[in-house]
Amino acid sequence: MNINKVLSINIIGIIMFSFACNYTYGQDLKKHIWKNRILIIKTLKETTKKYHDQINQFKNSEEALLERKCIMYIIEGDKYTSFDYGNNSKKHTGKISKETRDLFDQNKKFEVLLIGLDGKVKLQQPSVLLKETFLNKIDGMPMRYNEVLRKGR
């Protein structure tokens, strides 16, 4: 085999491995502790009214989410898509872990979770979370209060 063919095969293998790792193992909520707050929207189907109402609540909210160090995960069935607003809205997809699945009530078709910087669930509800309620919840947290104070200096 010539060197170009060997290099091509190796590069393709590396790219495929990278995609597989990102897809299968890309989701690790622990990596966000002390860095990001996490908003998780879980639905069985993206076609439900609740899901669309929830997504509409956060349309054009990138600046507010970024300011509050938020990352959004949308979970449909056993797959997720995440949006990192601090990283040019970088998007990742993959399968959810058992650890993440265990956060939810499996009997509910729709849920919204807010996980704080400390990695603890701050809010969990089976109904649409209003954007104002979400922002007020975060703004009422002691760590957020300290962030605003430091920013004001």
Side-chain angles (χ1 to χ4, degrees):
M1 273 211 271
N2 69 30
I3 190 74
N4 288 338
K5 197 169 192 178
V6 171
L7 285 175
S8 295
I9 291 170
N10 285 338
I11 290 171
I12 291 170
I14 290 168
I15 291 170
M16 289 175 64
F17 179 74
S18 297
F19 282 127
C21 286
N22 186 38
Y23 183 81
T24 306
Y25 304 107
Q27 177 247 354
D28 178 12
L29 298 180
K30 290 179 183 175
K31 71 182 178 187
H32 300 298
I33 292 178
W34 305 118
K35 294 178 188 171
N36 302 102
R37 294 175 179 93
I38 306 168
L39 173 64
I40 303 176
I41 301 166
K42 179 205 96 169
T43 185
L44 291 181
K45 294 182 182 175
E46 287 185 343
T47 57
T48 65
K49 180 175 177 5
K50 274 188 182 179
Y51 171 78
H52 284 281
D53 290 348
Q54 185 63 73
I55 295 302
N56 285 332
Q57 282 294 313
F58 290 99
K59 272 190 177 171
N60 304 314
S61 299
E62 290 85 4
E63 188 175 316
L65 293 169
L66 175 61
E67 181 183 325
R68 289 164 180 82
K69 300 179 182 178
C70 291
I71 287 182
M72 183 184 297
Y73 279 82
I74 297 173
I75 296 176
E76 181 185 11
D78 67 344
K79 294 183 173 90
Y80 78 89
T81 303
S82 68
F83 301 91
D84 184 348
Y85 298 100
N87 197 354
N88 295 325
S89 295
K90 190 172 183 182
K91 183 176 164 180
H92 291 279
T93 58
K95 285 190 158 195
I96 64 169
S97 66
K98 180 183 179 332
E99 179 181 81
T100 300
R101 186 178 302 113
D102 290 345
L103 290 171
F104 299 101
D105 180 343
Q106 297 305 309
N107 296 319
K108 304 246 189 293
K109 294 178 181 179
F110 178 88
E111 277 186 280
V112 180
L113 265 81
L114 170 60
I115 299 174
L117 288 173
D118 60 0
K120 295 182 181 167
V121 174
K122 305 298 181 183
L123 179 141
Q124 184 168 7
Q125 64 185 51
S127 57
V128 173
L129 175 61
L130 299 176
K131 179 170 74 172
E132 291 173 23
T133 303
F134 171 76
L135 297 176
N136 289 337
K137 179 77 173 171
I138 290 176
D139 290 346
M141 295 177 178
M143 285 187 203
R144 173 66 181 153
Y145 180 76
N146 289 333
E147 290 169 7
V148 172
L149 283 179
R150 279 193 304 265
K151 188 177 179 182
R153 290 182 188 171

